[in-house]
Amino acid sequence: MLSSSKQARVFQPPPVGSRLCVVRSSVQDERGGSAPATPTASTAARCSSNDCPDQHPPDLCRRPVDDLVLTMKCMGIDKLRLAEKRLETLGILEKPEVKNIRIDEEEILKVTPLGKAVSAFPLLPRYGKMLALSHQQNLLAYTIALVSALTVPEVMSGKPESWPATGNILLLGDLGVLLRAVGAAEYAHIKGEEEIFCAKYGLREKAVKEIRKLRKQLTSEINLSVAGVNVAVDPEMKPPDDNQARLLRQLVLSGLGDQVGRKIGLEEVKQGEDKRKYKYAYHTGELKSPSIFTLSPSFVKPSRMEPEWLPIYVPQLCNLGDPLSDPAPRYDEKSGRVKSHFKGTFGKAGWELPIVEIDFPDKIDRYKWFARYLLEGVVFPKLKKYTSSLLSPPSTMVKSWAKLQPRTEVLLKALIAKRAGTRDALRAVWVQQSNFLLDEYLKWVRSQLTTR
């Protein structure tokens, strides 16, 4: 990828007696699954209306779908179902909410907003997801360095013991070592000591150079495509602090959740087998049978994840039961959402999860509980003074016989119709419709208080 200064030369007038010929390749626009939403957006952003020639859709968009599928099959690319499943696990594809599909029709997965953001990065989708989410936590610089290092094979040959750590940096495992090594190598490069540094700490110098190029490319593309972002390759980037390392662990889980493993205890090793070979062996959660994989010697400290994070960051691989009645669902004032406790398992292997508290799923019961807390004045405290004047207790909303009272159904249907099951969602509706829920709420209030 050329620097901005070299790209700008295309707009400079040619020397006298010469003709300027510009040959533009569409390879970047047609990267498989990595093109931006508007194929020529990155180019058009650097052109004025008078400079750019007419742009044509890439060949990928002009060819019939059946032709593309045939081409992929001939190339041996036939694991489309598996790829879709993996993208669904990452939250990049999702099943449509409205199912108007006949029995003989195939359900088509739709691209999520996250998927559209991920498609802008020239990376594997799992790494693109990590980049897209890191923007929310101001971790872009660290994530760019980390995914760049993960993309390049065989970066380190030295021992992780050369990079002692504590706290969440230690729990980040070899990824934390890799991140700090890349940052330190960049500083050594500025000092002109990269070759000596790589030899001392067991880094492959060519790999370090490739990582640097990818970091610069990703940094440039993000600055061009994401509004309000100004990230740079900082040669003096400090290692992440403990809280940042914790957030990085969660980012890694969100992108690599399908690669979660559980360490095999020595008590699980069959009698007579060599226990030494199971030192770095793990069960994989995505296989029903207790299959085992062993980490290579160069990667001996995987990132450790909290089990309670799995339903939050890898919900597609968790099988959760019904919300627990004890403790009852509660309203979380900080997030403006109804929270509930769940028991469940993870992956095809069915690993039991600890009881976790997460957002109440987007089902009818969420709206019932949200309506209850709305009537109680918990969501908006200004309504609390009217609680004693309600015709029915707010807890009626979550009773099994709630349908017997028309006012509960009227309020519930109104919330569901606007998908207003959280505080922020309800506020967003009020911006568009200021009197939303007024009539429904007044049906709960005694008649002497309903004078408008």
Side-chain angles (χ1 to χ4, degrees):
M1 183 174 179
L2 295 177
S3 63
S4 298
S5 59
K6 290 184 178 180
Q7 293 180 39
R9 290 170 57 187
V10 73
F11 304 119
Q12 297 174 1
V16 178
S18 302
R19 174 180 294 175
L20 176 64
C21 296
V22 179
V23 179
R24 177 182 175 276
S25 169
S26 61
V27 172
Q28 182 178 355
D29 291 341
E30 297 185 18
R31 288 181 303 224
S34 300
T38 304
T40 56
S42 59
T43 303
R46 299 186 291 272
C47 302
S48 68
S49 58
N50 296 326
D51 291 326
C52 289
D54 293 337
Q55 302 289 352
H56 299 285
D59 182 61
L60 187 66
C61 298
R62 297 196 300 265
R63 296 175 63 182
V65 175
D66 52 354
D67 185 24
L68 290 173
V69 172
L70 176 59
T71 301
M72 294 174 69
K73 291 287 185 180
C74 292
M75 295 171 63
I77 306 174
D78 53 7
K79 296 184 178 180
L80 300 181
R81 302 278 184 218
L82 183 61
E84 281 194 335
K85 181 64 178 176
R86 192 156 48 237
L87 292 175
E88 186 181 5
T89 299
L90 290 170
I92 292 173
L93 297 180
E94 66 179 358
K95 295 177 181 178
E97 294 178 2
V98 181
K99 298 183 178 180
N100 294 324
I101 302 175
R102 300 197 309 265
I103 296 177
D104 60 338
E105 285 186 338
E106 180 182 354
E107 188 174 55
I108 299 176
L109 299 178
K110 302 295 184 181
V111 179
T112 63
L114 172 63
K116 292 179 180 179
V118 168
S119 68
F121 302 117
L123 295 165
L124 289 175
R126 62 176 74 254
Y127 297 150
K129 178 182 180 180
M130 291 168 59
L131 276 180
L133 296 180
S134 66
H135 176 46
Q136 302 173 1
Q137 302 290 348
N138 295 321
L139 295 172
L140 262 177
Y142 293 118
T143 312
I144 289 173
L146 183 57
V147 300
S148 298
L150 288 171
T151 303
V152 178
E154 300 178 4
V155 178
M156 300 187 68
S157 59
K159 296 183 178 180
E161 286 73 13
S162 303
W163 304 86
T166 59
N168 278 286
I169 295 285
L170 177 63
L171 296 178
L172 194 53
D174 281 359
L175 297 186
V177 173
L178 194 59
L179 178 60
R180 287 180 294 153
V182 168
E186 189 65 28
Y187 182 75
H189 171 69
I190 296 298
K191 296 292 186 180
E193 302 171 354
E194 182 175 82
E195 183 178 355
I196 298 175
F197 178 86
C198 291
K200 180 178 179 180
Y201 290 99
L203 299 177
R204 189 165 61 90
E205 188 177 359
K206 185 177 180 180
V208 171
K209 294 182 184 296
E210 291 178 9
I211 292 171
R212 180 177 302 112
K213 290 180 181 179
L214 185 53
R215 286 180 70 187
K216 290 180 178 179
Q217 179 185 356
L218 290 175
T219 299
S220 177
E221 291 199 10
I222 289 173
N223 285 332
L224 284 172
S225 59
V226 182
V229 171
N230 185 21
V231 65
V233 178
D234 183 5
E236 298 184 1
M237 181 178 70
K238 296 180 180 179
D241 59 31
D242 194 67
N243 182 58
Q244 289 172 326
R246 184 175 184 273
L247 293 173
L248 284 171
R249 289 171 60 207
Q250 295 172 350
L251 275 177
V252 169
L253 178 59
S254 70
L256 305 176
D258 58 335
Q259 298 185 13
V260 169
R262 187 180 66 179
K263 198 170 191 314
I264 295 177
L266 294 180
E267 67 279 0
E268 299 181 64
V269 180
K270 295 180 180 179
Q271 188 174 4
E273 291 196 41
D274 186 1
K275 294 185 177 182
R276 290 177 298 179
K277 71 177 183 179
Y278 289 94
K279 184 177 181 180
Y280 303 120
Y282 288 76
H283 286 301
T284 56
E286 269 301 272
L287 298 175
K288 292 181 180 179
S289 59
S291 299
I292 298 170
F293 71 92
T294 305
L295 298 178
S296 63
S298 61
F299 189 82
V300 296
K301 290 185 179 179
S303 300
R304 294 180 60 182
M305 303 298 167
E306 318 300 342
E308 57 268 24
W309 289 355
L310 294 172
I312 300 174
Y313 299 103
V314 203
Q316 295 84 355
L317 295 181
C318 294
N319 304 300
L320 300 179
D322 294 328
L324 299 181
S325 57
D326 185 20
R330 68 176 182 88
Y331 177 76
D332 181 58
E333 185 177 354
K334 183 177 180 180
S335 64
R337 296 172 175 269
V338 176
K339 302 279 188 178
S340 185
H341 290 79
F342 292 84
K343 290 183 66 177
T345 60
F346 176 78
K348 295 178 181 178
W351 296 340
E352 186 174 349
L353 294 172
I355 295 177
V356 293
E357 185 185 45
I358 59 175
D359 289 348
F360 207 111
D362 191 12
K363 299 180 179 179
I364 292 178
D365 282 351
R366 174 204 274 190
Y367 297 91
K368 291 181 178 180
W369 282 96
F370 183 73
R372 170 184 172 170
Y373 291 122
L374 179 66
L375 293 169
E376 288 180 352
V378 177
V379 181
F380 299 106
K382 288 184 178 181
L383 295 178
K384 187 171 293 187
K385 61 183 178 182
Y386 301 112
T387 304
S388 59
S389 302
L390 297 179
L391 293 170
S392 302
S395 59
T396 304
M397 288 297 310
V398 296
K399 300 296 184 182
S400 59
W401 42 265
K403 289 185 178 181
L404 298 177
Q405 296 194 10
R407 67 177 70 92
T408 63
E409 284 296 286
V410 170
L411 178 58
L412 180 62
K413 288 180 179 179
L415 290 172
I416 293 176
K418 296 292 186 179
R419 305 296 295 273
T422 67
R423 182 180 59 203
D424 290 344
L426 182 53
R427 282 176 172 167
V429 176
W430 277 335
V431 171
Q432 303 295 328
Q433 186 180 342
S434 60
N435 63 346
F436 175 66
L437 286 188
L438 179 58
D439 291 335
E440 290 81 1
Y441 184 78
L442 291 177
K443 293 182 184 298
W444 282 77
V445 182
R446 300 184 189 279
S447 57
Q448 61 266 31
L449 298 177
T450 58
T451 303
R452 302 188 187 182

